[in-house]
């Protein structure tokens, strides 16, 4: 679980005004952003249902194949001459 710092921003040492607490909506926004960055929602959705080991292997193999095809497309795009078709 990501930790979110809800303490107010640090002020200059000479600033004598008391620090204000962070509003709830801003704290909630910061928390959601941290959760999104950490990938917690994706992990929960992935673990929501049991996936058979064979289905997991099949999915991983398909993902690897699609990554490889994408890489090949990108290489062909950059290596092909632009004038010819």
């Amino acid at each position: 679980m990501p930790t979110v710092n809800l303490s107010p921003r640090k002020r200059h040492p000479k600033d004598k005004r008391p620090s204000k607490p962070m509003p709830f909506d801003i704290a909630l926004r910061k928390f959601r952003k941290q959760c999104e960055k950490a990938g917690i929602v994706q992990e929960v959705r992935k673990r929501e249902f049991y996936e058979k080991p064979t289905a997991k292997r099949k999915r991983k193999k398909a993902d690897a194949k699609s990554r490889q095809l994408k890489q090949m497309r990108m290489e062909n795009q950059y290596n092909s001459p632009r004038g010819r078709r």
Side-chain angles (χ1 to χ4, degrees):
M1 194 75 161
T3 58
V4 180
N5 185 9
L6 298 179
S7 61
R9 291 185 182 174
K10 293 186 178 183
R11 294 184 174 184
H12 195 272
K14 291 183 179 179
D15 192 0
K16 300 298 180 190
R17 294 179 293 176
S19 59
K20 295 185 228 175
M22 186 178 294
F24 178 76
D25 57 336
I26 294 174
L28 183 63
R29 192 177 336 135
K30 285 179 108 176
F31 178 74
R32 284 185 179 162
K33 196 167 199 167
Q34 289 289 329
C35 286
E36 184 180 330
K37 188 183 277 188
I40 291 175
V41 176
Q42 291 84 358
E43 185 72 21
V44 167
R45 286 192 180 140
K46 188 177 88 173
R47 293 172 183 253
E48 189 173 7
F49 301 106
Y50 178 74
E51 187 176 17
K52 291 182 180 178
T54 55
K56 193 182 289 189
R57 282 194 299 268
K58 190 175 180 181
R59 180 179 48 81
K60 285 187 177 184
K61 192 172 186 177
D63 290 345
K65 190 173 184 179
S66 66
R67 278 194 309 272
Q68 186 178 16
L69 289 173
K70 182 180 179 182
Q71 185 180 6
M72 287 175 59
R73 278 196 311 268
M74 297 301 275
E75 286 175 1
N76 288 340
Q77 181 183 2
Y78 290 120
N79 292 338
S80 67
R82 294 186 180 249
R84 295 185 202 163
R85 281 198 168 196

